[in-house]
């Protein structure tokens, strides 16, 4: 599904590809900084203290979420400046891409990079030395991880639309809602090795975020019905 989003809505437009790659880069920088801080915290603590190490892991995940949203805000500010430059350079005084389209493409960029790193972690576990599912462990690890990766890609896409809309109209409660949803989905992964329960709230939040983003983008029930019936 994520590949379909890229091929049908982004791949044909060079400007959208640039925005997507830049969004992926911003997410990557946020991950690098959060990983660096977590690495320093782990090295400075006692590795034999399991409660402390678990607490540091929770802190690292929550801090990473906040840092990702901070970089999303920085990317919004950068794209806002870019729109002003595009308007100044255009002959008709109009930007070739709207802020809503930028929000969508930036969200896809965040999501694709997040999904890519999730896949890297899965491949690392698949290489060994052990095999997941032996000795009574859950055999749903790879399947549920794939579904979680997909939902995170879509959530980042919808969060991008909601976040940019909140910044554009100074609706800080929309930005807060994005941060809370991101923290909730990331926190639900601590239920592992119970792999299925975290998927339920994550997909419910995805449905809510998708509906919300659709309405903020100008969508309506009538437009959705026309789309499903293939009517113009």
């Amino acid at each position: 599904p994520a590949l379909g989003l890229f091929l049908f809505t982004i791949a044909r437009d060079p400007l959208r590809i640039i925005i997507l790659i830049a969004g992926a880069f911003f997410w990557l920088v946020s991950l690098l900084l959060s990983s660096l801080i977590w690495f320093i915290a782990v090295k400075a603590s006692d590795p034999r203290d399991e409660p402390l190490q678990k607490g540091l892991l929770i802190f690292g995940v929550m801090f990473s979420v906040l840092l990702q949203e901070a970089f999303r805000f920085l990317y919004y500010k950068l794209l806002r400046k870019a729109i002003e430059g595009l308007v100044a350079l255009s002959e008709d005084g109009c930007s070739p891409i709207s802020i809503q389209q930028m929000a969508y493409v930036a969200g896809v960029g965040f999501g694709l990079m997040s999904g890519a790193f999730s896949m890297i972690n899965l491949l690392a576990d698949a290489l060994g030395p052990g095999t997941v599912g032996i000795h009574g462990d859950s055999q749903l690890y790879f399947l549920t991880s794939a579904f979680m990766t997909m939902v995170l890609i879509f959530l980042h896409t919808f969060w991008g639309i909601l976040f940019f809309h909140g910044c554009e109209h100074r609706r800080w409660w929309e930005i807060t809602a994005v941060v809370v949803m991101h923290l909730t989905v990331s926190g639900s992964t601590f239920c592992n090795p119970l792999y299925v329960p975290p998927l339920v709230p994550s997909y419910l939040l995805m449905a809510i975020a998708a509906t919300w983003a659709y309405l903020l983008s100008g969508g309506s029930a009538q437009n959705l019905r026309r789309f499903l019936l293939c009517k113009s």
Side-chain angles (χ1 to χ4, degrees), residues 61-78:
V61 171
M62 300 299 116
F63 181 78
S64 177
V65 168
L66 297 177
L67 200 59
Q68 288 177 46
E69 299 306 327
F71 270 80
R72 199 192 301 271
F73 177 75
L74 292 177
Y75 192 40
Y76 162 77
K77 300 295 288 185
L78 178 64

Side-chain angles (χ1 to χ4, degrees), residues 3-172:
L3 181 61
L5 286 180
F6 173 75
L7 291 177
F8 293 110
T9 64
I10 297 175
R12 299 178 181 179
D13 192 328
L15 182 58
R16 294 186 182 186
I17 293 177
I18 294 173
I19 295 172
L20 180 139
I21 294 175
F25 174 76
F26 268 72
W27 186 91
L28 192 61
V29 173
S30 71
L31 178 67
L32 175 63
L33 293 178
S34 59
S35 299
L36 180 62
I37 293 174
W38 177 78
F39 179 78
I40 294 174
V42 169
K43 290 298 182 181
S45 61
D46 184 4
R48 294 169 294 181
D49 191 343
E50 292 186 3
L52 177 61
Q53 294 301 316
K54 185 175 181 179
L56 289 176
L57 179 61
I58 296 175
F59 162 77
V61 171
M62 300 299 116
F63 181 78
S64 177
V65 168
L66 297 177
L67 200 59
Q68 288 177 46
E69 299 306 327
F71 270 80
R72 199 192 301 271
F73 177 75
L74 292 177
Y75 192 40
Y76 162 77
K77 300 295 288 185
L78 178 64
L79 290 178
R80 209 69 191 84
K81 292 293 183 181
I83 286 182
E84 296 175 3
L86 291 172
V87 170
L89 293 174
S90 63
E91 296 180 355
D92 56 359
C94 297
S95 173
I97 186 171
S98 66
I99 189 66
Q100 291 86 357
Q101 292 171 335
M102 283 186 170
Y104 164 74
V105 177
V108 174
F110 269 61
L112 288 179
M113 185 55 68
S114 172
F117 268 80
S118 297
M119 290 299 296
I120 290 174
N121 290 333
L122 287 176
L123 292 175
D125 289 334
L127 290 175
T131 302
V132 178
I134 295 180
H135 302 302
D137 295 330
S138 175
Q139 299 183 11
L140 299 175
Y141 173 70
F142 292 109
L143 183 62
T144 55
S145 297
F147 276 100
M148 181 59 74
T149 298
M150 184 177 69
V151 76
L152 280 174
I153 294 175
F154 278 114
L155 279 172
H156 271 293
T157 302
F158 303 140
W159 288 337
I161 297 173
L162 298 176
F163 195 97
F164 278 42
H165 186 272
C167 293
E168 192 73 7
H169 296 86
R170 297 187 181 277
R171 296 182 179 178
W172 307 117

